[in-house]
Amino acid sequence: QVHLVESGGGSVQAGGSRTLSCVVSGYTYCAHEVGWYQEAPGKDRDFVSSIDSDGKTRYEDSVKGRFTISQDNAENTVHLKMNSLKPEDTGVYYCLASFPLGDGSCEVEGYNYWGQGTEVNVSS
């Protein structure tokens, strides 16, 4: 069973920085993508950034130049470094691990897994 644990949330003033971490466990090596999603108060859960097992990254336009996603394959951990934080970055940040369909060799291909979330509060 794939398990995700996020950490790093907390309170920070606007302009500050925060680094979120997502540890993904419970699978042998499979092609996958790990993404971060923000659920702002009263809003839907929206895409922020992602990185795949080849290291290809994607960012939502509003965080480009401010956030950096990276992965530590030895620790099965994905980090989201958030700089120049704004009050609109406030919300619960969830980690999503997606395992695309492949040749059948990956035991979890075709499945997606969410973490429990970590809250970031940016004050003005």
Side-chain angles (χ1 to χ4, degrees):
Q1 179 68 29
V2 176
H3 190 53
L4 284 73
V5 178
E6 300 106 327
S7 61
S11 296
V12 61
Q13 288 191 325
S17 299
R18 205 78 195 176
T19 297
L20 307 182
S21 299
C22 175
V23 180
V24 186
S25 62
Y27 70 101
T28 53
Y29 181 79
C30 301
H32 63 278
E33 181 178 63
V34 177
W36 286 97
Y37 289 73
Q38 176 201 16
E39 191 169 305
K43 296 187 177 180
D44 294 334
R45 194 173 297 184
D46 292 326
F47 172 79
V48 175
S49 179
S50 68
I51 187 167
D52 68 18
S53 46
D54 292 327
K56 181 179 178 181
T57 59
R58 296 189 295 136
Y59 295 94
E60 195 273 328
D61 286 346
S62 68
V63 307
K64 287 180 180 177
R66 299 191 299 123
F67 291 9
T68 302
I69 193 168
S70 62
Q71 61 188 354
D72 182 340
N73 291 325
E75 298 293 330
N76 291 333
T77 302
V78 171
H79 303 287
L80 184 67
K81 173 69 172 175
M82 306 187 295
N83 294 326
S84 304
L85 282 163
K86 304 176 181 180
E88 51 264 43
D89 295 319
T90 292
V92 180
Y93 284 74
Y94 294 89
C95 184
L96 170 68
S98 302
F99 297 87
L101 290 172
D103 60 8
S105 61
C106 173
E107 70 273 21
V108 293
E109 63 182 54
Y111 289 91
N112 300 319
Y113 301 88
W114 288 97
Q116 83 287 352
T118 185
E119 187 169 0
V120 175
N121 184 27
V122 184
S123 58
S124 57

